[in-house]
C-alpha cells in the first residue's frame, strides 16, 4: 500500500508548517505492515494536527470541568442564552452527498479484518467503522484497523477463520459506505508523541485515516466521513470543524468534502444540538441519539444531585421514558429543521444460534423499537449484528418507501423544555438488586475483555462496548453514594460498598465456575474486578473508566 501523495506537501501546508513529525514510541509493539500506515508524510501530518489543535483541545477539556462544577452547584441545565440567535436564525447544513443520502440502516463495529468484511457485506447502508467504544486501543488495533480499511478500499482484503471459513468482499455496489469514528477528545495515544507530548487519540485516528484515504475515497465516488463521539459542547464541534478545514487544505481537496455526524450522547450536548450543527454546517451530515453514553453522562453530571437524579436499572430506561423521548424528539426536529439526518439508537441484541425462542422475543422488541423510530421521523438507525439489518430495514422501508430519508418531515409539533430533558424523576422505576448484580457482572466481563484488546463483546446476548461499562460502574457509584434501598424478597438491602464488593466476589466465583480454572487464570479477571470496584466505589469519581484502564492495557 502506498499513501496517496497530498497535492500540498507537509512543507507547503497551512501554518504551522514547521515542526517535527509525530514520533512512534520505542515501546510500541511491532505491528505487521505498520510502515504502510506510519509513513513519514503521515506522521508529519499528525504532528501538524497536534501542534495546531492540541492546545485548544486541552482548554476545552478544562472547560468541561468548569461546567461540571457549575452543574454540581445548580443541579440544572438550560439552553444557552448567548446562542439564542443561532437557534432563531435561518440556516441549513450543507446538502448531503449522494453516498450519505440514504442511511436507513447502519451497522456498527470495530475494524478488525473479519468485521471489516462482514460489515461492508452486511446489507446496511452505512458501516460505523469504530476506533472508539467498540475498539480497545491497543497499538495492533489502532494501526491494524487503518490497514484493514485501506485494504478494503483497494479490494485486497480477505479473511479465513481458524475453522477454514473464508470471507471476501461483495461487488462494490453492494458494500456499505464507511463512516469512521475516531476516539473522543479525552483520550491520548501513548505510542505517538509530538515534542514529548502524547497526541490526542482522536487526532491520531482521524489523521492517519484522512491522510491515507481522503483522495482514495473521492476516487471511489465517496468521501472522508466521520462520526464524532463524546462531544460536550458546540465549542468542541467548532474545534473539529477547524481540524476539517485545515486537513482539507493540507491535502488539497475541496473545503466541504468532509462530512461529520455528531453523536448526541452527553446531556450537555443535548442542550446545544442546533449550535453543534451550526459550527459544523459546511461539514455536517446529521446527529445520532446514543443511549448508553447519554445515560452515563446524566449520572456523571448530576451524580451529586440527590435522589431525583437516580436512574433505575439500565434496561428499565427505554427510549420511551419521558426524558429520553424528549431528547430523541428534539433531535429529530433539530436535524430536519436544519436539513440534517436524524439517526436513531442501537439495537444491541446478538442472535442466539441455539435458542430460537430467545431470538423471536428479541426480534419483536427490535422491530417495535425501529418501528417507533421510523414513525417518529428518524432517517435511519443502528444495529450491532448483520441478522438485525433486515429487521431495521423493513421498519424504515415501510415509512420511507423509495425515498432516501424523511428530512422533509419537520416535526414542528415537538416542543421540548429545558426541564423535560433532565426530568429523571418522571420515570416510574426504581433500581433493583438484580440490576446491581447485572451491572457488576457486565462490568467485570466487559472490562476483562477490553484489557485483552477486545472492545466489542457479546455478553448475555447483547453486544456491549465501553459505554456499557461506563453506565454500569456509574450506576453502582450513584446508587452507593445516594444509599439506594433495594426491595429483595420482602426485605430491604441498602446499596453500600460492602454489598457491592460481596456481589463482585460472587460474580468472580460464578465466572470461574462457568469458564473453568485454566481460562480464568489465563484471563485478566482479577484486574477487571479491581478496576470495576475502583471506578465504582472510589470517593472521587473517575471521569472516564477508559483512562485508568488504558494504563493497564497491554500493547
Amino acid at each position: 500500500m502506498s499513501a496517496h501523495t497530498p497535492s500540498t506537501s507537509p512543507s507547503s501546508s497551512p501554518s504551522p508548517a514547521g515542526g517535527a513529525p509525530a514520533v512512534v514510541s520505542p515501546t510500541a509493539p511491532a505491528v505487521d505492515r505498520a510502515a504502510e500506515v506510519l509513513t513519514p508524510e503521515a506522521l508529519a501530518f499528525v504532528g501538524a494536527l497536534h501542534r495546531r489543535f492540541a492546545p485548544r483541545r486541552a482548554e476545552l477539556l478544562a472547560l468541561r470541568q468548569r461546567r461540571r462544577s457549575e452543574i454540581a452547584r445548580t443541579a440544572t441545565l438550560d439552553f444557552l442564552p448567548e446562542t439564542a440567535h443561532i437557534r432563531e436564525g435561518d440556516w441549513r447544513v450543507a446538502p448531503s452527498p449522494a453516498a450519505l443520502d440514504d442511511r436507513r440502516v447502519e451497522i456498527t463495529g470495530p475494524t478488525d479484518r473479519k468485521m471489516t468484511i462482514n460489515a461492508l457485506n452486511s446489507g446496511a447502508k452505512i458501516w460505523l467503522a469504530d476506533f472508539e467504544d467498540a475498539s480497545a486501543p491497543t497499538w495492533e488495533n489502532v494501526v491494524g484497523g487503518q490497514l484493514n480499511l485501506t485494504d478494503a478500499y483497494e479490494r485486497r482484503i480477505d479473511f479465513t477463520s481458524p475453522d477454514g471459513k473464508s470471507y471476501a468482499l461483495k461487488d462494490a455496489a453492494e458494500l456499505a459506505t464507511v463512516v469512521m469514528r475516531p476516539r473522543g477528545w479525552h483520550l491520548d495515544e501513548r505510542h505517538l508523541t509530538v515534542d514529548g507530548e502524547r497526541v490526542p487519540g482522536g487526532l491520531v485516528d482521524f489523521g492517519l485515516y484522512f491522510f491515507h484515504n481522503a483522495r482514495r475515497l473521492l476516487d471511489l465516488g465517496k468521501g472522508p466521513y466521520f462520526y464524532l463521539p463524546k462531544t460536550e459542547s458546540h465549542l468542541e464541534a467548532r474545534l473539529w470543524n477547524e481540524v476539517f478545514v485545515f486537513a482539507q487544505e493540507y491535502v488539497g481537496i475541496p473545503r466541504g468534502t468532509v462530512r461529520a455526524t455528531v453523536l448526541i450522547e452527553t446531556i450537555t450536548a443535548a442542550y446545544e444540538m442546533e449550535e453543534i450543527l451550526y459550527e459544523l454546517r459546511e461539514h455536517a451530515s446529521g446527529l445520532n441519539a446514543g443511549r448508553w453514553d447519554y445515560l452515563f453522562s446524566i449520572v456523571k453530571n448530576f451524580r451529586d444531585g440527590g435522589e431525583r437524579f437516580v436512574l433505575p436499572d439500565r434496561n428499565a430506561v427505554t427510549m420511551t421514558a419521558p426524558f429520553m423521548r424528549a431528547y430523541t424528539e428534539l433531535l429529530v426536529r433539530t436535524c430536519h429543521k436544519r436539513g440534517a439526518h436524524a439517526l436513531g439508537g442501537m439495537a444491541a441484541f446478538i442472535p442466539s444460534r441455539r435458542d430460537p425462542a430467545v431470538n423471536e422475543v428479541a426480534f419483536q422488541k427490535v422491530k417495535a423499537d425501529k418501528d417507533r423510530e421510523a414513525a417518529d421521523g428518524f432517517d435511519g438507525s443502528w444495529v450491532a449484528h448483520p441478522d438485525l439489518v433486515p429487521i431495521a430495514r423493513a421498519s424504515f422501508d415501510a415509512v420511507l418507501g423509495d425515498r432516501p430519508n424523511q428530512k422533509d418531515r419537520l416535526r414542528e409539533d415537538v416542543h421540548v423544555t429545558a426541564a423535560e430533558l433532565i426530568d429523571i424523576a418522571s420515570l416510574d422505576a426504581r433500581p433493583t438488586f438484580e440490576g446491581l448484580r447485572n451491572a457488576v457482572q457486565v462490568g467485570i466481563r466487559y472490562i476483562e475483555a477490553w484489557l485483552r484488546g477486545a472492545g466489542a463483546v457479546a455478553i448475555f446476548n447483547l453486544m456491549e462496548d465501553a459505554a456499557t461499562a461506563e453506565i454500569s460502574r456509574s450506576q453502582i457509584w450513584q446508587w452507593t453514594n445516594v444509599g439506594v434501598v433495594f426491595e429483595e424478597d420482602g426485605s430491604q438491602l441498602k446499596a453500600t460498598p460492602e454489598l457491592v464488593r460481596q456481589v463482585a466476589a460472587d460474580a468472580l466465583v460464578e465466572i470461574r465456575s462457568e469458564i473453568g480454572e485454566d481460562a480464568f487464570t489465563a484471563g485478566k479477571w482479577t484486574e477487571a474486578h479491581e478496576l470495576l470496584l475502583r471506578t465504582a466505589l472510589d470517593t472521587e469519581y473517575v471521569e472516564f473508566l477508559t483512562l485508568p484502564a488504558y494504563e493497564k492495557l497491554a500493547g
Side-chain angles (χ1 to χ4, degrees):
M1 177 186 69
S2 62
H4 281 260
T5 302
S7 60
T8 53
S9 68
S11 61
S12 61
S13 63
S15 179
V23 176
V24 179
S25 165
T27 62
V31 176
D32 187 40
R33 298 172 58 202
E36 298 176 36
V37 174
L38 304 169
T39 64
E41 297 83 3
L43 293 176
F45 178 55
V46 171
L49 290 174
H50 178 87
R51 285 189 299 276
R52 189 176 183 95
F53 300 111
R56 179 57 177 160
R57 172 255 196 174
E59 292 173 357
L60 291 172
L61 292 182
L63 187 60
R64 286 183 179 183
Q65 296 301 319
R66 293 198 295 275
R67 192 174 196 185
R68 219 311 283 180
S69 297
E70 181 65 11
I71 293 170
R73 187 181 67 82
T74 63
T76 192
L77 276 169
D78 204 347
F79 300 105
L80 302 178
E82 64 268 27
T83 55
H85 63 286
I86 293 174
R87 297 192 296 276
E88 295 162 4
D90 183 15
W91 54 271
R92 290 171 67 83
V93 302
S96 176
L100 292 179
D101 211 26
D102 188 334
R103 305 181 64 169
R104 68 188 68 200
V105 186
E106 303 193 352
I107 192 168
T108 72
T111 54
D112 61 86
R113 213 154 180 85
K114 179 182 174 182
M115 180 65 193
T116 296
I117 298 169
N118 283 346
L120 289 170
N121 287 345
S122 66
K125 292 290 186 179
I126 304 292
W127 171 36
L128 187 159
D130 201 4
F131 286 81
E132 199 232 2
D133 272 1
S135 180
T138 64
W139 193 231
E140 170 68 38
N141 289 341
V142 169
V143 176
Q146 298 280 350
L147 278 165
N148 291 336
L149 291 177
T150 302
D151 281 354
Y153 299 146
E154 293 291 311
R155 296 195 65 86
R156 57 173 179 238
I157 189 170
D158 54 31
F159 179 79
T160 302
S161 67
D163 60 6
K165 186 175 180 181
S166 296
Y167 299 81
L169 292 179
K170 296 179 178 178
D171 291 342
E174 299 180 65
L175 301 181
T177 294
V178 173
V179 181
M180 183 270 222
R181 180 163 71 168
R183 280 168 281 181
W185 281 128
H186 62 288
L187 293 165
D188 289 333
E189 172 51 60
R190 65 185 170 205
H191 291 311
L192 277 179
T193 60
V194 173
D195 301 327
E197 296 178 349
R198 288 182 177 182
V199 181
L203 293 181
V204 172
D205 301 334
F206 166 82
L208 294 175
Y209 179 77
F210 181 91
F211 184 85
H212 288 297
N213 296 302
R215 287 186 176 277
R216 181 178 279 115
L217 286 162
L218 290 175
D219 292 345
L220 294 172
K222 298 187 178 181
Y225 307 141
F226 299 92
Y227 259 110
L228 303 181
K230 307 287 193 292
T231 301
E232 297 199 15
S233 74
H234 70 285
L235 298 178
E236 295 180 16
R238 180 183 296 171
L239 180 59
W240 269 119
N241 197 71
E242 292 168 356
V243 170
F244 298 154
V245 171
F246 175 84
Q248 290 164 124
E249 292 176 356
Y250 191 105
V251 303
I253 62 175
R255 181 165 166 160
T257 301
V258 169
R259 284 293 188 278
T261 305
V262 181
L263 291 114
I264 303 300
E265 56 185 355
T266 66
I267 186 62
T268 52
Y271 288 84
E272 300 182 37
M273 293 189 212
E274 292 202 62
E275 294 90 334
I276 286 168
L277 285 176
Y278 181 80
E279 294 293 345
L280 287 158
R281 60 194 179 279
E282 66 178 330
H283 299 113
S285 178
L287 303 177
N288 170 273
R291 178 179 173 190
W292 295 137
D293 263 316
Y294 191 73
L295 295 178
F296 158 51
S297 177
I298 290 174
V299 174
K300 176 163 67 172
N301 279 285
F302 291 94
R303 61 184 182 266
D304 37 22
E307 184 75 23
R308 68 190 178 101
F309 288 104
V310 171
L311 286 171
D313 304 358
R314 70 171 180 131
N315 292 325
V317 187
T318 68
M319 299 306 273
T320 59
F323 69 97
M324 295 297 282
R325 189 141 182 83
Y327 147 64
T328 56
E329 296 228 292
L330 180 61
L331 187 145
V332 172
R333 172 170 178 153
T334 299
C335 286
H336 290 181
K337 176 183 178 183
R338 302 306 183 182
H341 281 76
L343 284 309
M346 171 70 82
F349 177 68
I350 301 300
S352 170
R353 303 302 184 196
R354 295 175 295 181
D355 196 338
V358 168
N359 291 348
E360 184 176 353
V361 172
F363 286 162
Q364 286 303 313
K365 290 182 179 179
V366 171
K367 180 181 184 301
D369 189 48
K370 301 311 173 189
D371 285 350
R372 174 191 54 77
E373 288 180 331
D376 283 350
F378 281 96
D379 302 293
S381 190
W382 284 8
V383 299
H385 192 279
D387 287 357
L388 302 183
V389 170
I391 298 173
R393 186 194 303 119
S395 294
F396 283 91
D397 285 350
V399 171
L400 297 178
D402 294 332
R403 295 178 299 153
N405 54 65
Q406 52 181 333
K407 290 192 287 187
D408 58 343
R409 190 172 169 212
L410 299 181
R411 291 306 312 270
E412 291 176 336
D413 57 305
V414 172
H415 302 281
V416 174
T417 66
E420 287 174 321
L421 289 170
I422 51 173
D423 186 13
I424 313 303
S426 65
L427 186 59
D428 186 21
R430 292 285 302 162
T432 68
F433 180 67
E434 184 55 39
L436 175 65
R437 288 188 70 252
N438 182 261
V440 169
Q441 280 270 8
V442 170
I444 291 175
R445 289 167 188 258
Y446 180 82
I447 294 170
E448 193 277 337
W450 196 93
L451 291 174
R452 286 187 289 104
V457 188
I459 303 174
F460 306 145
N461 286 115
L462 292 176
M463 184 59 76
E464 308 286 20
D465 67 10
T468 301
E470 292 286 25
I471 185 62
S472 294
R473 64 97 182 182
S474 296
Q475 289 202 285
I476 297 168
W477 194 98
Q478 183 186 48
W479 293 348
T480 55
N481 275 268
V482 171
V484 163
V485 175
F486 307 117
E487 301 292 337
E488 177 71 8
D489 297 330
S491 60
Q492 293 185 329
L493 275 176
K494 186 177 180 179
T496 63
E498 292 72 29
L499 178 64
V500 172
R501 291 190 184 96
Q502 183 58 57
V503 171
D506 292 345
L508 273 190
V509 171
E510 182 179 330
I511 291 167
R512 187 191 297 263
S513 174
E514 175 187 320
I515 67 175
E517 185 64 33
D518 290 346
F520 186 90
T521 303
K524 294 185 175 293
W525 296 103
T526 300
E527 297 97 317
H529 168 267
E530 291 173 352
L531 188 56
L532 176 72
L533 291 181
R534 172 187 162 191
T535 57
L537 296 179
D538 274 7
T539 303
E540 185 173 340
Y541 180 87
V542 177
E543 288 296 304
F544 290 96
L545 165 68
T546 45
L547 294 175
Y550 186 47
E551 301 308 316
K552 296 178 178 293
L553 181 67

